[in-house]
Amino acid sequence: MTRLRSVLAAIAAAMLITGGTAAGTATAAEAAQAREPGCAHLLGYGSGWADIHNACGYTVFATVEVDGFDPPCIQIGPGAVATIGLEPGDVPYYAYEC
């Protein structure tokens, strides 16, 4: 029984080590996807606008998170990019589905 515990402990330790290494090599794109679950992803923004990408194969409604009131939701087709209008001074944090 002791040998079985040693083998299981070694397997668990190996899984933790490889899991930690994989987590440490996450790219910026993976970080953005983790922050923006779902289909809507913020691609870019400027003064008065933001681009939202629909990464799914079906139509969604989406908007962006800003300080204050978020802009109204817009319809975005499958795989498409749509531009949403922003109030002066608004800086979007991320996109989300409505």
Side-chain angles (χ1 to χ4, degrees):
M1 194 65 152
T2 305
R3 182 168 181 192
L4 179 60
R5 275 192 212 146
S6 297
V7 170
L8 291 176
I11 291 170
M15 289 173 61
L16 287 173
I17 291 169
T18 35
T21 303
T25 59
T27 65
E30 290 169 342
Q33 286 178 352
R35 198 170 145 203
E36 297 180 310
C39 299
H41 300 281
L42 179 63
L43 283 185
Y45 63 91
S47 179
W49 63 273
D51 284 341
I52 303 171
H53 174 244
N54 175 3
C56 293
Y58 52 88
T59 300
V60 299
F61 287 88
T63 189
V64 292
E65 174 72 25
V66 297
D67 287 338
F69 292 105
D70 295 346
C73 297
I74 58 172
Q75 182 175 340
I76 308 171
V81 175
T83 302
I84 190 168
L86 301 176
E87 295 290 323
D90 278 352
V91 176
Y93 297 105
Y94 57 89
Y96 64 93
E97 293 175 61
C98 306

